[in-house]
Amino acid sequence: MKTIATHESPGTPSAEINIAKEHALLQEKLWIDSTLTQFDDVLRENYDKSLGDFSEAIIGHLATLTKAMRGAFFTVKGDEEDNKFLEATGGFACVPDAMAKKTFRMGEDLIGQVAKTKKVSYMDNLPIQNLTLNVAAGSLSAGSIIILPLVFNGEVYGVIELVFIQNLANKYQDLLPRIGNNIASMLQSIQNNIRTKKLLNETQEQAEALRAQEEELRQNLEELAATQDAMQTKQTEIEKMNYTLAKKEKVLEKALQEAQTKEAELANVNEQISTLHALVESSQDFIAYAHLDGRAIFINKGGRKLTGIALDADISKLNIKDFYPDTNFKNFKEKALPKLMKEGSVSSETRLKNLETGKIIEVSKAIFLIRDKETNEPKFIATITKDITDRKLQEMELVNANEELRTQEEELRQNLEELSATQDSLMKIKDELAAEAERSRILFETSRDAIVVMDKNGIFTDVNEAAVKIFGGIKKEQLLGKTPIDCSPETQSLHGGKTSEEVATQIMEATMKTGTYTHEWHFKKLNKEIFEAEVKLVSFELQGDPYMQFVVRDITDKKAKEREILKANEGLKNQKEELKQNLKELKTAQGSLVKLKDELAAEAERSRILFETSRDAIVVMDKNGIFTDVNEAAVKIFGGIKKEQLLGKTPMDCSPETQSLHGGKTSEEVATQIMEATMKTGTYTHEWHFKKLNKEIFEAEVKLVSFELQNEPYMQFVVRDITAHKQQIRDLETQLAECKATLKKQP
């Protein structure tokens, strides 16, 4: 018997069933997307409420949405990983305080286990009377139960339990995990507000400590001046006794003091940088700086977490405007930015948005300019921004409180004013440290002192030009990869004749314990020549790994001069020792700003490279609409080979005569209207038909930003080719229309 293959025609019952299934799946997907959007509105409406009210509102909405008969909302509490537990903070058809069990440890019962594994637990077809729900007429048997973990960025923030009379429909099983992610994101923000208050208090204490250190340094400098006056008097007496010897000694002493002064200045800069770096990286505040045109250069860990940016994410494509809701960015552009450029700093309360979730964040923002130390012209825009969402919530609660709380409201307002004054003072200190960091970066690059950075294994990972020179090299590669033992003789006469390896091991261990270590050492140049040096080691961490930095000074001549001075006048020994001790204390009181400034310079260089290699097409044009600068992506998107093919052109040169996306108006007419609107609002986003150099037309999304450069108006626009994206949308619309037409033809 021969088998005959058959094909179903579109009108057969089987084909119609398949079309109906596809339509049902499409409708379900649209329902899920619509429900998620509506739920996001619910989250935003309840964002400013307390944790308890937020929990009650969310569990109530979910129970109503899924037709659950009972629900409970559990929130993760505890700061340490080993001490975390879940506590009921909201309920539907139940009260947390009346629950049989209100708290669960991680891994305890089903609630704790779901939080521990971060996986949904769903049970259906429950035995009758196994789990009952009480009503006025008696009790009902539950048919199914779902326990949903609230997870965001791999971290669990809570658990939701919902009980149903019947089994839960599949669409709700698909919807609830996605809703859980959004709830977890909001819980993270609420918990961060609590931690922000704690961090603010710690920051104030650190500011007080910095002021105490400054006072101590001032006193040390006064003592040093007094010591120098005493030494000068003694020196005058010695000159009368032996003019020739005193004159020579005075010259040598002056050289020594200059060397020691420079060493103290560098040590001061180093410690300030170390302190500033630790403050910035440990702070939960949004600390960042950017180019004057708004392109992001650096955002600390706390800032990335606040705005939903991954710690390893590339921020070079981000702009200041990306972090603002539209209305708040307009206020920044029209009011705050002009004031900043005029006065150098500005503080205000505004709103930012989480780039991942779109959540609005109430913040207190201090913005200031970092100026070029040579020209004093503005070079960067920096900010220290604090999340004050919790404070705003308290203010709203106070406004809605009864008359008896008005006295407390006045006291809170006064406290907030004092807090603002403290914040301004701290911001001023951080501004000064940032300026000092910029100066220290330049000092590091041009330092005459040899500076070497090595990893935990003692391998040289970075050196400056002075280090190459002091070891008798020509280029850095001759030192990179070496160790201190490679650059030392076999033994150290300065350390009792012990081997260099033994002494180096002891010194590195001591440095890791105390943070700094200063000693003298015999080094060996690349040509085997031995020289005596003074070495200061500083330990620090970079991305979690231990590193050491040591500064090397060739003191061979210095030691010879010191021996001559000691031999000529033994009476000055005690005073010089006291001076050295004072200088050593000054070194200890200062931080390591050189490292942070080096990192800032590296970050700036990386940002510059990322801008030049951006995949987005960026074009800058003057007030006449003439292209004054383009990047490589712009050359590529317009089908060019080099920048000169676009420079000097205008948007009309790169557009067809009319724009079908704008009612068939001429490109020139629409462009004039858009440019006028951009100059008024600061930004403008629209779609546009462009024409490549080979006359090919493509559809693009364009974002314009207006700015001033040397008091002249300019515009920058970013172009993204959306031709393929638009075609996909049109194809989907065609398929949907075909499906609807097919369904209508069915009897």
Side-chain angles (χ1 to χ4, degrees):
M1 180 180 295
K2 182 183 293 185
T3 302
I4 301 175
T6 61
H7 299 277
E8 297 175 351
S9 64
T12 63
S14 178
E16 294 175 353
I17 291 173
N18 289 336
I19 292 173
K21 288 181 178 179
E22 292 177 359
H23 180 70
L25 290 174
L26 178 61
Q27 291 297 321
E28 183 174 315
K29 182 179 181 303
L30 293 174
W31 176 83
I32 290 176
D33 291 341
S34 174
T35 303
L36 285 172
T37 300
Q38 295 173 6
F39 191 79
D40 285 342
D41 293 337
V42 174
L43 289 175
R44 284 191 289 271
E45 291 171 359
N46 292 279
Y47 172 69
D48 293 335
K49 296 181 178 179
S50 66
L51 181 59
D53 292 342
F54 174 82
S55 303
E56 290 286 347
I58 297 306
I59 192 65
H61 184 83
L62 280 181
T64 302
L65 174 65
T66 60
K67 299 179 177 60
M69 297 302 294
R70 189 172 69 193
F73 194 111
F74 294 86
T75 304
V76 173
K77 299 291 185 68
D79 295 330
E80 300 297 332
E81 190 66 30
D82 295 338
N83 298 329
K84 287 187 175 181
F85 63 95
L86 293 128
E87 182 180 48
T89 55
F92 178 80
C94 61
V95 179
D97 292 337
M99 292 181 181
K101 189 171 179 61
K102 184 180 178 180
T103 61
F104 296 88
R105 297 190 304 273
M106 302 298 284
E108 182 184 6
D109 294 340
L110 282 178
I111 298 297
Q113 185 62 26
V114 166
K116 180 179 180 180
T117 61
K118 304 173 186 176
K119 295 182 179 180
V120 177
S121 177
Y122 173 64
M123 292 172 285
D124 56 6
N125 299 317
L126 298 177
I128 296 176
Q129 298 301 320
N130 192 53
L131 177 62
T132 59
L133 304 172
N134 294 325
V135 295
S139 61
L140 300 173
S141 293
S144 63
I145 182 173
I146 186 168
I147 303 176
L148 176 71
L150 306 180
V151 181
F152 180 68
N153 285 341
E155 184 75 17
V156 63
Y157 291 91
V159 171
I160 287 178
E161 177 186 87
L162 294 171
V163 182
F164 306 90
I165 296 297
Q166 298 177 341
N167 290 340
L168 185 62
N170 290 336
K171 67 177 183 180
Y172 291 113
Q173 296 183 38
D174 294 337
L175 172 68
L176 287 174
R178 296 175 65 180
I179 286 180
N181 292 339
N182 295 347
I183 298 173
S185 172
M186 194 66 68
L187 280 175
Q188 179 200 43
S189 299
I190 294 173
Q191 293 175 358
N192 284 343
N193 293 339
I194 298 173
R195 287 192 288 269
T196 299
K197 286 185 177 179
K198 181 180 178 181
L199 178 61
L200 180 58
N201 293 332
E202 293 175 353
T203 304
Q204 292 173 343
E205 293 174 359
Q206 292 172 355
E208 291 297 329
L210 285 175
R211 284 193 285 271
Q213 289 179 5
E214 289 178 357
E215 179 61 23
E216 183 179 351
L217 287 176
R218 185 187 63 76
Q219 294 175 359
N220 289 338
L221 289 173
E222 291 176 353
E223 293 174 1
L224 177 60
T227 303
Q228 289 175 337
D229 291 340
M231 287 185 64
Q232 185 64 36
T233 302
K234 183 66 176 178
Q235 185 68 22
T236 302
E237 295 175 357
I238 295 173
E239 285 176 357
K240 292 178 181 179
M241 296 172 62
N242 192 341
Y243 176 80
T244 303
L245 179 61
K247 183 176 181 181
K248 180 180 179 181
E249 183 177 346
K250 185 176 180 181
V251 172
L252 294 176
E253 183 179 2
K254 183 177 180 180
L256 174 62
Q257 289 177 346
E258 289 177 353
Q260 290 173 335
T261 299
K262 292 178 181 178
E263 180 181 1
E265 291 174 353
L266 179 60
N268 182 12
V269 169
N270 287 342
E271 187 163 352
Q272 288 186 16
I273 286 181
S274 178
T275 302
L276 177 60
H277 179 71
L279 286 173
V280 170
E281 286 303 319
S282 64
S283 176
Q284 295 298 315
D285 293 339
F286 182 99
I287 302 177
Y289 65 94
H291 292 289
L292 294 180
D293 60 5
R295 291 178 289 117
I297 297 174
F298 168 80
I299 301 176
N300 71 335
K301 293 180 181 178
R304 289 172 179 256
K305 188 173 183 181
L306 178 65
T307 55
I309 303 174
L311 296 181
D312 58 349
D314 178 11
I315 65 170
S316 63
K317 298 177 185 177
L318 296 176
N319 195 285
I320 290 176
K321 62 179 177 293
D322 298 327
F323 297 88
Y324 283 93
D326 292 342
T327 55
N328 295 96
F329 178 73
K330 180 180 178 182
N331 184 68
F332 167 80
K333 191 73 174 179
E334 296 178 354
K335 296 181 179 179
L337 186 56
K339 182 178 180 182
L340 172 65
M341 300 306 293
K342 180 180 180 181
E343 300 179 4
S345 66
V346 62
S347 299
S348 64
E349 293 183 0
T350 183
R351 291 182 175 182
L352 299 181
K353 63 181 179 182
N354 187 292
L355 301 185
E356 182 179 17
T357 64
K359 183 193 73 174
I360 301 302
I361 309 167
E362 297 284 348
V363 298
S364 173
K365 176 181 285 289
I367 310 174
F368 50 90
L369 293 175
I370 298 177
R371 298 182 180 274
D372 188 281
K373 79 163 196 171
E374 298 290 340
T375 64
N376 200 37
E377 290 294 322
K379 192 172 183 180
F380 303 107
I381 298 175
T383 181
I384 302 175
T385 300
K386 298 181 179 296
D387 184 348
I388 60 170
T389 306
D390 188 63
R391 195 189 77 188
K392 287 293 185 180
L393 176 61
Q394 292 177 356
E395 292 175 353
M396 292 178 63
E397 291 175 347
L398 289 173
V399 170
N400 296 326
N402 56 39
E403 190 65 25
E404 294 177 357
L405 294 178
R406 290 187 179 179
T407 301
Q408 297 180 8
E409 179 183 9
E410 178 62 22
E411 293 176 353
L412 178 59
R413 183 187 63 79
Q414 294 175 357
N415 291 336
L416 290 174
E417 289 176 352
E418 294 174 0
L419 176 61
S420 177
T422 303
Q423 288 174 334
D424 291 341
S425 177
L426 180 59
M427 290 172 187
K428 182 179 179 181
I429 293 173
K430 290 185 178 180
D431 189 21
E432 293 172 354
L433 290 177
E436 186 64 27
E438 178 64 19
R439 290 193 293 272
S440 297
R441 180 188 64 79
I442 298 173
L443 286 173
F444 174 76
E445 293 296 336
T446 59
S447 174
R448 291 183 293 177
D449 288 329
I451 302 175
V452 179
V453 178
M454 59 184 179
D455 63 16
K456 62 182 178 182
N457 299 315
I459 297 174
F460 296 174
T461 59
D462 197 9
V463 297
N464 66 352
E465 292 298 330
V468 176
K469 183 177 180 180
I470 202 172
F471 283 104
I474 300 174
K475 53 185 180 180
K476 291 184 178 182
E477 287 73 15
Q478 291 177 279
L479 291 179
L480 296 179
K482 291 186 178 296
T483 68
I485 307 306
D486 298 330
C487 301
S488 304
E490 186 174 351
T491 60
Q492 291 290 326
S493 60
L494 296 172
H495 298 273
K498 296 181 180 179
T499 64
S500 295
E501 185 172 3
E502 179 183 359
V503 180
T505 300
Q506 295 172 352
I507 290 175
M508 290 175 69
E509 290 176 352
T511 304
M512 293 305 294
K513 290 181 180 179
T514 63
T516 61
Y517 196 95
T518 302
H519 63 286
E520 294 181 356
W521 190 263
H522 277 141
F523 279 110
K524 180 175 63 178
K525 296 185 179 182
L526 296 176
N527 63 1
K528 311 301 182 182
E529 178 185 345
I530 305 299
F531 67 96
E532 193 171 353
E534 183 180 66
V535 183
K536 179 171 182 180
L537 288 103
V538 178
S539 65
F540 63 95
E541 283 193 359
L542 182 61
Q543 295 180 346
D545 292 325
Y547 283 81
M548 285 190 187
Q549 171 184 291
F550 62 89
V551 179
V552 180
R553 287 187 176 179
D554 188 339
I555 59 172
T556 305
D557 295 336
K558 174 185 171 183
K559 283 294 183 180
K561 292 176 182 178
E562 285 180 352
R563 286 189 286 271
E564 291 177 5
I565 294 173
L566 290 173
K567 184 177 180 181
N569 188 357
E570 190 67 22
L572 292 174
K573 181 177 180 180
N574 292 335
Q575 292 183 1
K576 291 181 179 179
E577 286 299 325
E578 291 177 2
L579 178 59
K580 289 180 181 179
Q581 181 62 31
N582 290 335
L583 291 174
K584 185 176 180 180
E585 291 175 357
L586 286 176
K587 295 175 192 176
T588 305
Q590 302 304 314
S592 171
L593 286 173
V594 173
K595 175 179 171 295
L596 181 57
K597 289 185 177 178
D598 191 28
E599 291 177 354
L600 292 176
E603 185 66 25
E605 179 63 16
R606 285 193 294 270
S607 299
R608 182 187 64 79
I609 294 172
L610 288 171
F611 171 75
E612 292 296 335
T613 58
S614 173
R615 291 183 297 176
D616 287 332
I618 303 175
V619 179
V620 178
M621 59 184 179
D622 62 16
K623 62 183 179 181
N624 299 316
I626 296 174
F627 296 173
T628 60
D629 196 9
V630 297
N631 66 351
E632 292 298 330
V635 175
K636 184 177 179 180
I637 201 171
F638 283 104
I641 300 176
K642 53 186 180 179
K643 292 184 178 181
E644 287 73 13
Q645 292 177 278
L646 290 179
L647 296 179
K649 292 186 177 295
T650 68
M652 297 306 99
D653 299 330
C654 300
S655 303
E657 185 175 351
T658 60
Q659 290 290 327
S660 60
L661 295 173
H662 297 273
K665 296 181 180 179
T666 65
S667 295
E668 183 173 5
E669 178 184 359
V670 180
T672 300
Q673 295 172 352
I674 290 175
M675 291 176 67
E676 290 176 351
T678 304
M679 292 304 294
K680 291 181 180 179
T681 63
T683 62
Y684 196 93
T685 302
H686 64 286
E687 294 181 357
W688 190 262
H689 278 140
F690 277 110
K691 179 176 66 178
K692 296 185 178 181
L693 296 177
N694 63 2
K695 309 303 181 181
E696 178 185 344
I697 304 299
F698 68 95
E699 194 168 352
E701 181 183 68
V702 183
K703 177 174 280 189
L704 287 102
V705 178
S706 63
F707 63 95
E708 285 192 358
L709 182 61
Q710 297 181 346
N711 295 325
E712 291 292 333
Y714 283 82
M715 284 190 187
Q716 172 185 291
F717 61 89
V718 178
V719 180
R720 290 184 179 176
D721 190 338
I722 59 172
T723 305
H725 175 67
K726 285 292 187 178
Q727 186 58 45
Q728 290 177 353
I729 292 176
R730 286 191 285 270
D731 292 343
L732 289 173
E733 290 174 346
T734 300
Q735 293 176 7
L736 182 60
E738 291 175 353
C739 288
K740 289 181 178 180
T742 303
L743 291 172
K744 287 181 179 180
K745 293 179 181 180
Q746 295 181 7

